[in-house]
Amino acid sequence: MAQKSILITGCSSGIGYDAAHGLKAEGWRVFAACRQQKDCDRLAAEGLETVQLDYSDEASITAALQHVLDQTGGTLDALFNNGAYACPGANEDLPRGALREIFEANVFGWHDLTRQVIPVMRAQGHGHIVNCSSVLGLVVAPWRSAYNSSKFALEALTDTLRIEMRDTGIKVVLIEPGPVTSNIRKNAIPHFEKWIDWENSPRADQYRATLNKRLYKDSDKKDTFELPPSAVTAKLLRALNSANPRPRYYVTTPTYIMGTLRRLLPTRALDWLLAKG
């Protein structure tokens, strides 16, 4: 049986890093993509095939995919869109530029890469496109407006694509983790400092008491029900090994709870619950 190939983005740490090593261990030919070349070099030293890919750079996306296809002879069995970042801050303090920047990386880049992969999978007659969303693509959380909105947009793009691909051999899947061990909180700090003028916000006291503490003091503190990234890799493998995968795979207890409450609770009741953070 020919070795299956997969391109995984956001492999410098967390979910992508674990998925790259986990799938390689399961016999997949993994192309681990990172935004920075130094992370590609580090992963290459660990025995992974790597490629530099920056979702916010259209030329980078095209070049990365072409490199992968050159290595595989023009085929690709699966794509796992995973690389993303957060820009925390109150909605009223979020400038237009911050939203534009996060959507370039978290939405538009994913869409661009997916569109370029589809013709390859159409030609070969099969393929899996798996997008890593979040519990915050199902419900919102305060102070996370930019990330929430990018994941809600991703959910809509993915759901639409799944329906449109029904007449092809391409399977489209969402994985929706809740709290998973990663560097996303630490990695959010530069974006927060770049875009959020919190000291001049009417919510400055709330920043000091909540968000700033979470970012700068409790960044390594585990959340309730937090799972390691291997929990996501397990669901990814389940989706990839299925000829008829589920549309969605939940990961962590909070995702199951919120997925249920979103369907059952009136909006005001859900708002009250989510406002508690």
Side-chain angles (χ1 to χ4, degrees):
M1 182 180 295
Q3 186 180 29
K4 291 184 177 181
S5 59
I6 183 169
L7 171 59
I8 303 174
T9 66
C11 292
S12 63
S13 63
I15 290 171
Y17 181 87
D18 189 272
H21 281 286
L23 265 71
K24 183 183 178 186
E26 290 293 321
W28 283 74
R29 184 177 184 184
V30 175
F31 294 91
C34 303
R35 185 175 60 85
Q36 299 186 59
Q37 186 60 46
K38 66 178 183 180
D39 291 317
C40 289
D41 296 341
R42 172 170 53 86
L43 268 59
E46 297 174 8
L48 290 169
E49 293 185 73
T50 66
V51 61
Q52 190 272 333
L53 190 156
D54 183 347
Y55 273 132
S56 64
D57 183 342
E58 295 179 47
S60 169
I61 293 169
T62 300
L65 179 59
Q66 188 58 57
H67 171 78
V68 171
L69 297 177
D70 288 345
Q71 300 302 306
T72 64
T75 65
L76 186 66
D77 294 289
L79 167 65
F80 182 37
N81 280 308
N82 166 70
Y85 74 87
C87 180
N91 200 319
E92 65 186 298
D93 298 325
L94 191 67
R96 179 173 182 158
L99 271 180
R100 182 187 296 113
E101 192 171 87
I102 198 171
F103 266 68
E104 284 287 350
N106 289 13
V107 182
F108 302 153
W110 292 39
H111 176 65
D112 189 2
L113 178 57
T114 299
R115 285 190 65 243
Q116 294 189 44
V117 165
I118 287 173
V120 177
M121 293 183 173
R122 277 187 176 275
Q124 67 195 18
H126 70 275
H128 282 63
I129 295 171
V130 184
N131 287 339
C132 191
S133 183
S134 169
V135 63
L136 298 182
L138 302 176
V139 297
V140 300
W143 306 99
R144 298 168 179 84
S145 182
Y147 189 78
N148 294 340
S149 58
S150 74
K151 289 303 182 182
F152 267 69
L154 175 67
E155 294 270 330
L157 280 170
T158 308
D159 283 344
T160 306
L161 182 63
R162 186 182 63 253
I163 294 169
E164 292 172 350
M165 290 291 110
R166 286 171 63 89
D167 62 348
T168 73
I170 303 171
K171 308 302 180 183
V172 182
V173 176
L174 281 160
I175 294 183
E176 291 164 325
V180 168
T181 305
S182 74
N183 292 330
I184 192 168
R185 206 176 300 163
K186 287 182 178 178
N187 292 342
I189 292 174
H191 303 285
F192 172 70
E193 293 178 345
K194 175 181 178 180
W195 291 110
I196 306 300
D197 183 16
W198 69 269
E199 291 176 301
N200 292 311
S201 168
R203 297 186 180 276
D205 290 341
Q206 290 176 286
Y207 277 99
R208 291 189 185 93
T210 58
L211 182 59
N212 291 14
K213 181 174 181 291
R214 181 174 174 83
L215 282 177
Y216 294 100
K217 295 182 180 180
D218 296 338
S219 61
D220 292 324
K221 184 179 179 181
K222 287 194 172 184
D223 290 318
T224 306
F225 301 115
E226 182 173 309
L227 292 179
S230 57
V232 179
T233 301
K235 293 294 178 75
L236 173 61
L237 278 165
R238 187 179 300 179
L240 294 174
N241 290 330
S242 174
N244 187 28
R246 299 175 187 172
R248 284 175 166 77
Y249 289 84
Y250 288 176
V251 186
T252 74
T253 298
T255 307
Y256 283 97
I257 292 173
M258 290 303 171
T260 299
L261 293 180
R262 182 184 68 157
R263 296 192 300 270
L264 297 180
L265 290 182
T267 300
R268 288 182 186 276
L270 187 60
D271 283 355
W272 175 85
L273 180 64
L274 296 173
K276 293 181 172 295

